[in-house]
Amino acid sequence: MKAWGLDQKIEGSMLTFMGDPTGALTTALDRKLTHPGPTSVGILNRCKRFALFIDDKVIKVSQVCEDDDDPAGDDFPEDTCAPAMIELIKGL
């Protein structure tokens, strides 16, 4: 995650990239990708594409990007991208 953070130039910003190597957080948040499509091509134990806004240890905004035709949310990630999240956060 550190290398990805460096690549995305988030150092010194308010963003934190975090990994979930055991899937514990993915399971606790009910974000495990269980659609048979990705697993049929060898993609195992992946989480759904999601974004969270957490303030003082409370999840204030949670967005999941998935569709029947795009279970991983890769083709249409807009709901989890910064512009959509910022609009939702402004509405709090």
Side-chain angles (χ1 to χ4, degrees), residues 33 38 43 46-47 49 65-66 70-78:
L33 181 60
I43 301 173
R46 180 175 170 181
C47 69
R49 180 180 300 276
C65 198
E66 64 182 330
D70 182 23
D74 292 336
D75 294 334
F76 302 100
E78 292 82 3

Side-chain angles (χ1 to χ4, degrees), residues 47-59:
C47 69
K48 297 176 182 179
R49 180 180 300 276
F50 71 96
L52 300 173
F53 172 68
I54 303 171
D55 184 29
D56 198 22
K57 301 178 188 174
V58 176
I59 297 173

